[in-house]
Amino acid sequence: MTEIVPVGAGPLEPAAVEPRRAGRPRSEGADRAIIEATLDLLADFGIAGTTIEGIAARAGVGKTTIYRRWKGLESLICDAVAELKGPLPTLPGTSIRDDLIALSEAAARGRESARNRKVYACFIGEMARYPALDAQYRSSVIRPRRELLATALKNAIERGELRDDLDLDILAEIVSAPTLHWLLHNPDRSPTRRQLEQFVDGVLDGVGRGD
Amino acid sequence: MTEIVPVGAGPLEPAAVEPRRAGRPRSEGADRAIIEATLDLLADFGIAGTTIEGIAARAGVGKTTIYRRWKGLESLICDAVAELKGPLPTLPGTSIRDDLIALSEAAARGRESARNRKVYACFIGEMARYPALDAQYRSSVIRPRRELLATALKNAIERGELRDDLDLDILAEIVSAPTLHWLLHNPDRSPTRRQLEQFVDGVLDGVGRGD
């Protein structure tokens, strides 16, 4: 399969998770070139315009080199976008403020270049049209990050740092939304450390005068 | 012009704002069919797969009927997505809580159908690749909504309802992000009124125990 078929354009791809790599030992140079070529094409043309042929041409490798390393286009795209996000952060665990800043910094990581910000802004919406890719990305990238956030919130509730009258989904949305939304709507710049801190302090302390 | 050319695929379209409609009186039935056809194609194929030819075929009208009403594909797509959002809400002005709930409900409006949620989730990221469309959508749809929010926040600061130590952009991001982010990341369901209230109350009161 050299092209991903969106819903509405033809038959759906199954959402089964498949082993990612097989066969010969990897060549780091070729892998890097293939990942970078995939990100370049995603930035310029989106998922719809990213094909194995196009990636091979841009990376200067043969299609067989790609298929030796990745099961298919979904796996390759998923890996390329996952690489932008980098590894899961380690939570300091010293306070919910420290944990949330660490999570925000991790979410903002990989957005330093305009290309990367563009890949992500487009990808997260467009992937809804590609069920197999959507399922793979959600399970391998989004879910572990949400679980990490949920763990941080539960620990903070136990330590008495957070209100315990809001359900966990609402809490998770409120604390993570400013950074994530800012990244989606500002494709021209990354948030500063100061801005991330203001988001975290704003949601922890509240923006109202209250009482 | 019958196809929008993304950055990287060819020459850029100028971002000039053009008069939207010209010529003969409009036919409401044909307009409706054209708008719906545009939204159908955007949901299934994104901006890259939405063409004047495709819209004409799906709406059952001739291309000239479309060009009689819209200056080009950018204007038509922009109008179609703007229609999803509906008119600007009227702010009650009774409290910042009431204003923010009114703004959240307006943001969530038009997302009742799965098709409409999909259009918006994809569109907002994908439009970054189309400078003319991006500029037109930002000036005609996003900017008036941001200005309305800024007005609500300034009035609330004057009334002493909000902290005055956060700059307006940070405040605006914190109060609007949960609803907007939730809409982008949950293409399968609309937020309930209760959820919108919890977002607003959460950011106004803060989620931390504080002191």
Side-chain angles (χ1 to χ4, degrees), chain A residues 43-111:
Chain A
D44 284 346
F45 309 111
I47 299 170
T50 300
T51 61
I52 292 286
E53 285 79 3
I55 294 166
R58 189 163 192 125
V61 302
K63 290 201 290 177
T64 50
T65 305
I66 297 177
Y67 282 119
R68 221 176 280 139
R69 293 165 168 79
W70 282 276
K71 186 78 187 169
L73 188 52
E74 272 100 352
S75 297
L76 172 50
I77 289 180
C78 200
D79 274 11
V81 181
E83 270 224 15
L84 286 190
K85 305 207 74 144
L88 277 180
T90 306
L91 296 183
T94 38
S95 70
I96 186 62
R97 181 179 191 272
D98 293 342
D99 286 356
L100 289 177
I101 289 173
L103 286 162
S104 300
E105 286 193 311
R109 204 187 296 143
R111 315 288 177 98

Side-chain angles (χ1 to χ4, degrees), chain B residues 35-178:
Chain B
I35 292 279
E36 291 300 322
T38 305
L39 293 172
D40 287 348
L41 291 181
L42 284 172
D44 284 345
F45 307 112
I47 298 170
T50 300
T51 60
I52 292 285
E53 285 80 5
I55 295 166
R58 189 163 191 125
V61 302
K63 290 201 291 177
T64 50
T65 305
I66 297 178
Y67 282 118
R68 222 177 280 137
R69 292 166 169 79
W70 282 276
K71 184 77 187 172
L73 188 52
E74 274 99 351
S75 297
L76 172 50
I77 289 180
C78 201
D79 274 10
V81 181
E83 270 224 14
L84 285 191
K85 306 208 72 146
L88 277 181
T90 306
L91 296 183
T94 37
S95 70
I96 186 62
R97 181 179 192 272
D98 294 341
D99 285 357
L100 290 177
I101 289 173
L103 285 162
S104 299
E105 286 193 311
R109 205 185 295 141
R111 316 288 178 99
E112 294 81 9
S113 79
R115 182 200 68 174
N116 292 355
R117 287 193 295 272
K118 207 197 277 184
V119 167
Y120 192 72
C122 297
F123 179 80
I124 204 70
E126 198 184 1
M127 79 176 183
R129 275 200 294 276
Y130 302 86
L133 180 59
D134 189 280
Q136 199 171 332
Y137 188 78
R138 284 185 190 280
S139 71
S140 65
V141 180
I142 294 181
R143 194 193 299 153
R145 282 166 175 76
R146 293 219 168 153
E147 285 172 356
L148 191 62
L149 173 60
T151 301
L153 293 172
K154 277 182 214 155
N155 290 343
I157 291 172
E158 274 175 28
R159 290 195 303 259
E161 287 187 283
L162 288 179
R163 290 166 55 177
D164 52 12
D165 60 332
L166 286 174
D167 83 45
L168 212 58
D169 287 342
I170 296 282
L171 262 183
E173 190 62 26
I174 290 173
V175 300
S176 59

Side-chain angles (χ1 to χ4, degrees), chain A residues 16-196:
Chain A
V17 176
E18 314 189 76
R20 224 171 53 189
R21 293 183 173 104
R24 307 206 202 163
R26 301 159 52 193
S27 141
E28 281 303 328
D31 275 19
R32 189 75 254 149
I34 292 165
I35 292 279
E36 291 300 321
T38 305
L39 293 172
D40 287 349
L41 292 181
L42 284 172
D44 284 346
F45 309 111
I47 299 170
T50 300
T51 61
I52 292 286
E53 285 79 3
I55 294 166
R58 189 163 192 125
V61 302
K63 290 201 290 177
T64 50
T65 305
I66 297 177
Y67 282 119
R68 221 176 280 139
R69 293 165 168 79
W70 282 276
K71 186 78 187 169
L73 188 52
E74 272 100 352
S75 297
L76 172 50
I77 289 180
C78 200
D79 274 11
V81 181
E83 270 224 15
L84 286 190
K85 305 207 74 144
L88 277 180
T90 306
L91 296 183
T94 38
S95 70
I96 186 62
R97 181 179 191 272
D98 293 342
D99 286 356
L100 289 177
I101 289 173
L103 286 162
S104 300
E105 286 193 311
R109 204 187 296 143
R111 315 288 177 98
E112 294 81 10
S113 78
R115 182 200 67 174
N116 292 354
R117 287 193 295 273
K118 208 197 274 183
V119 168
Y120 192 72
C122 297
F123 178 80
I124 203 70
E126 197 183 2
M127 78 176 183
R129 274 199 295 276
Y130 301 87
L133 180 60
D134 190 280
Q136 199 171 332
Y137 188 79
R138 284 186 190 280
S139 71
S140 64
V141 180
I142 294 180
R143 194 195 298 154
R145 282 166 175 75
R146 294 221 168 150
E147 286 172 355
L148 191 62
L149 172 60
T151 301
L153 293 173
K154 276 182 212 155
N155 290 343
I157 290 172
E158 274 176 26
R159 290 195 303 259
E161 287 188 282
L162 288 179
R163 290 166 57 177
D164 52 12
D165 60 332
L166 286 173
D167 82 46
L168 213 57
D169 287 342
I170 296 282
L171 261 183
E173 189 62 26
I174 290 174
V175 300
S176 60
T179 299
L180 295 174
H181 182 257
W182 201 94
L183 289 166
L184 281 173
H185 278 259
N186 292 280
D188 53 337
R189 58 209 161 104
S190 274
T192 63
R193 160 90 190 195
R194 179 80 195 107
Q195 282 173 312
L196 296 180

